[in-house]
Amino acid sequence: MAKYEMATEKPSRMDTDRMLQLSNISFAPYIQLSTMLIGKQRHAGGNMFRHQIDTMGILMDYGYIDSVLLKASVVHDTIEDIPDFDENLILNADADGKDVLTLVLEVTKRQGERKDEFLKRIITMGSQKAKLLKCADRISNMISLGFVTDAAFIERYCNETEFYILPIAIEVDYNMYQELINLIMTRRKYLEEIDYYHMNGK
């Protein structure tokens, strides 16, 4: 796929072919692994397990029914957020395990890697599936940001999304790009409403 060629348009509904394709995907081994994240609380409330399921739902909402992509979305934070997580648990989960692990590692921040370095790596070296997964992950995070009241955190996260995630989104899915822009705008509007920029000389 050429750079900046959009991956797909969001379907108006799940047709029979997509339903049958989805029915042949077994998520159970990956959901079992993902439940290890139930105890990991999120800044906006809830836990990391729910975030994994939400990320998968966002991908499906945009019409993606690829088995490796969806399975990876269910476990995409396990390696990064579970201390001493055994990667072989993903590798041996099922026949897709090797490809799922490869994709999860693409969207996992490496030890000693700064956040900006990690995101730049996805921009320059990430596969299309890694970029789609990162966009869905960020959409979920930006929606959750609506429940965060830490203004400085909101500003940093919006800036990060604008600088690093929008370039990824516009390359792989214009609809995701538009949603991310809208989410950034709503969060910045909140900062304006609480007079954050004025109070901080911005």
Side-chain angles (χ1 to χ4, degrees), residues 36 78-89:
M36 297 169 69
T78 52
I79 294 175
E80 190 170 323
D81 287 353
I82 298 174
D84 301 317
F85 180 81
D86 185 358
E87 296 177 8
N88 288 315
L89 293 174

Side-chain angles (χ1 to χ4, degrees), residues 62 134-136 138-140 142 161 165-166 168-170 173-186:
Y62 278 98
K134 192 60 193 173
C135 288
R138 185 53 64 109
I139 288 171
S140 173
M142 286 296 292
T161 303
I165 307 301
L166 289 184
I168 296 173
I170 198 168
D173 193 303
Y174 187 66
N175 291 317
M176 285 185 170
Y177 172 75
Q178 288 182 308
E179 181 170 4
L180 283 163
I181 288 177
N182 288 334
L183 288 166
I184 292 170
M185 290 173 63
T186 61

